[in-house]
Amino acid sequence: MDDAKEKSTQQPVDVQVPAAVVSRLSLYLRELQELVRAGQETTNSTQLGKKLGFTDAQVRKDLAYFGQFGYPGIGYRCEELIPAIKRILGTDRSWPVAVVGLGNLGRALLGYRGFDEQGFRVVAAFDVDPDQLQQDVDSVETFHLDRLSEVVKEKAIRLGIIAVPAAAAQEVATKLVDAGVDGVLNFAPVTLALPDHVSRVGVDLAIELEQLSFAVVNRPENP
Amino acid sequence: MDDAKEKSTQQPVDVQVPAAVVSRLSLYLRELQELVRAGQETTNSTQLGKKLGFTDAQVRKDLAYFGQFGYPGIGYRCEELIPAIKRILGTDRSWPVAVVGLGNLGRALLGYRGFDEQGFRVVAAFDVDPDQLQQDVDSVETFHLDRLSEVVKEKAIRLGIIAVPAAAAQEVATKLVDAGVDGVLNFAPVTLALPDHVSRVGVDLAIELEQLSFAVVNRPENP
DNA sequence: TAGATTGTTAATCGATTAACAATC
DNA sequence: TAGATTGTTAATCGATTAACAATC
């Protein structure tokens, strides 16, 4: 407001940012990365909004929470906005991540290429079944759950992914938190009770399908 | 309003229900199912809200979109509310579902127990790689993508899950829609361009971790 | 009956959209 | 310069919360 030339505000934000804004930020990042792959150098709020189904005003407002990234008359330079959003999301670094649970889903996550591309490195996987711990999976080292705390500390892991059956999820979550993890991504279909200082994101695969089924059943015309 | 004794309003809703309400509905359902497993017969808006981090008023308001399910002075009877919510979500039936993509994630989805438990049956899986089509996977029949339309019709599939690489996702989505599918659950990290009448839910695993990383980095005290 | 808890209305809060001066 | 598009303020819209009469 004083120094209009100052671009981007770096690091954590003081005003409380709505979760909806943060999730759109990730979508903007994804689109920008695709635009770069398509060879586009600049974009603007109208184009970005159209691709994602948002208004241009919303795109500009969302970005304005974090600083000034655009150029009036031009739009946004992809190669500038991408690192800016990464910095905001905290993915301008590479986060070491632990996966707990070596069932089908856990194994799929160990092999998921998208994580590395976006700043996450699965560096350890845990299970309680010795049969699952015979060798590395997708070149990720595997450990017995008993060694969680030790390995989390050694590898400076701050994020944990829970891919165990529902019945085990709370116990695993508690162990992750006791081990010092700051955030958990939970794929088990249960609500975790955890201290407030731990960040949580939940993905319930069946719930995603339920949302789809509701949308299909409640479509304008067509019960 | 006239007939106060009339419980539940059955079938599709006339007023446009916010997406946030629908996703909370799924959470209520999940909690209710857990309460039943724990032997609890009734619950109330305060208990439900506390477990999920919502106010009691919100729980009541959400349910009130769809009818009257509770008993003043008592609360909600789990065994009554569960089927009521299922009817609203459209999961009072079993939906045949197709999974496209037999990579790690697709295979994990074929084996996912949670789907059946919530009213979804994966009845066909597709890929373009003949090596992946040698035999059934988790007792789900596999087909070449070329046979998508044929199989979708034959098995009356209305929901499709996209678990292919980003580069193939749009093409697969279009094929699903052409085959007559009404909704798609997309795990590929791309925004799909599809006709408006097709319902969409997107899950981007890297984005989920980004949301977590943002939360961790922007926690009150601790940059 | 007294106590508990609903469904619903009104009040508050927050998020989205529209509009436009600033500016590249 | 004229045209395009930003950042931001004000107006609108929608969702959440508080409060309470109705009622089990």
Side-chain angles (χ1 to χ4, degrees), chain B residues 60-166:
Chain B
R60 294 197 300 278
K61 196 90 201 300
D62 285 345
L63 294 172
Y65 269 97
F66 305 97
Q68 305 194 148
F69 305 104
Y71 301 88
I74 310 285
Y76 302 94
R77 302 198 207 284
C78 301
E79 296 287 16
E80 263 177 31
L81 189 50
I82 287 172
I85 295 181
K86 285 192 176 177
R87 211 158 39 236
I88 295 164
L89 292 173
T91 57
D92 54 340
R93 68 200 80 179
S94 177
W95 294 78
V97 175
V99 168
V100 184
L102 280 164
N104 285 210
L105 183 59
R107 286 169 183 272
L109 297 172
L110 295 190
Y112 189 63
R113 295 305 241 67
F115 288 154
D116 300 273
E117 288 163 19
Q118 297 303 327
F120 304 96
R121 261 171 25 248
V122 181
V123 295
F126 300 86
D127 205 304
V128 288
D129 179 358
D131 292 352
Q132 307 284 17
L133 307 174
Q134 307 290 29
Q135 67 259 309
D136 295 1
V137 177
D138 272 290
S139 67
V140 175
E141 207 176 341
T142 59
F143 303 91
H144 191 278
L145 186 59
D146 289 343
R147 299 185 59 197
L148 183 66
S149 184
E150 166 200 342
V151 177
V152 162
K153 271 144 201 152
E154 186 189 311
K155 296 187 184 272
I157 290 167
R158 297 184 63 193
L159 305 179
I161 302 183
I162 298 177
V164 301

Side-chain angles (χ1 to χ4, degrees), chain B:
Chain B
M1 219 173 250
D2 306 311
D3 182 4
K5 275 282 147 291
E6 179 203 348
K7 287 269 167 189
S8 100
T9 48
Q10 220 79 332
Q11 300 321 55
V13 185
D14 25 62
V15 290
Q16 186 31 44
V17 182
V21 171
V22 184
S23 79
R24 287 194 297 266
L25 223 46
S26 280
L27 295 173
Y28 301 149
L29 175 58
R30 202 172 75 179
E31 292 304 326
L32 286 160
Q33 290 171 329
E34 189 160 320
L35 286 171
V36 165
R37 279 194 297 273
Q40 207 174 311
E41 296 193 345
T42 69
T43 183
N44 56 62
S45 55
T46 306
Q47 182 181 43
L48 233 29
K50 222 165 241 151
K51 283 184 185 283
L52 291 162
F54 308 141
T55 64
D56 58 329
Q58 178 144 73
V59 174
R60 294 197 300 278
K61 196 90 201 300
D62 285 345
L63 294 172
Y65 269 97
F66 305 97
Q68 305 194 148
F69 305 104
Y71 301 88
I74 310 285
Y76 302 94
R77 302 198 207 284
C78 301
E79 296 287 16
E80 263 177 31
L81 189 50
I82 287 172
I85 295 181
K86 285 192 176 177
R87 211 158 39 236
I88 295 164
L89 292 173
T91 57
D92 54 340
R93 68 200 80 179
S94 177
W95 294 78
V97 175
V99 168
V100 184
L102 280 164
N104 285 210
L105 183 59
R107 286 169 183 272
L109 297 172
L110 295 190
Y112 189 63
R113 295 305 241 67
F115 288 154
D116 300 273
E117 288 163 19
Q118 297 303 327
F120 304 96
R121 261 171 25 248
V122 181
V123 295
F126 300 86
D127 205 304
V128 288
D129 179 358
D131 292 352
Q132 307 284 17
L133 307 174
Q134 307 290 29
Q135 67 259 309
D136 295 1
V137 177
D138 272 290
S139 67
V140 175
E141 207 176 341
T142 59
F143 303 91
H144 191 278
L145 186 59
D146 289 343
R147 299 185 59 197
L148 183 66
S149 184
E150 166 200 342
V151 177
V152 162
K153 271 144 201 152
E154 186 189 311
K155 296 187 184 272
I157 290 167
R158 297 184 63 193
L159 305 179
I161 302 183
I162 298 177
V164 301
Q170 178 61 59
E171 194 195 328
V172 163
T174 304
K175 284 186 173 160
L176 279 166
V177 172
D178 289 347
V181 150
D182 294 312
V184 301
L185 173 54
N186 176 33
F187 286 96
V190 292
T191 304
L192 299 175
L194 291 176
D196 281 344
H197 69 269
V198 180
S199 302
R200 257 155 293 190
V201 170
V203 176
D204 184 322
L205 300 174
I207 285 184
E208 305 297 343
L209 276 182
E210 283 172 8
Q211 301 299 300
L212 196 56
S213 132
F214 177 87
V216 168
V217 167
N218 289 276
R219 221 158 24 172
E221 309 314 67
N222 187 352

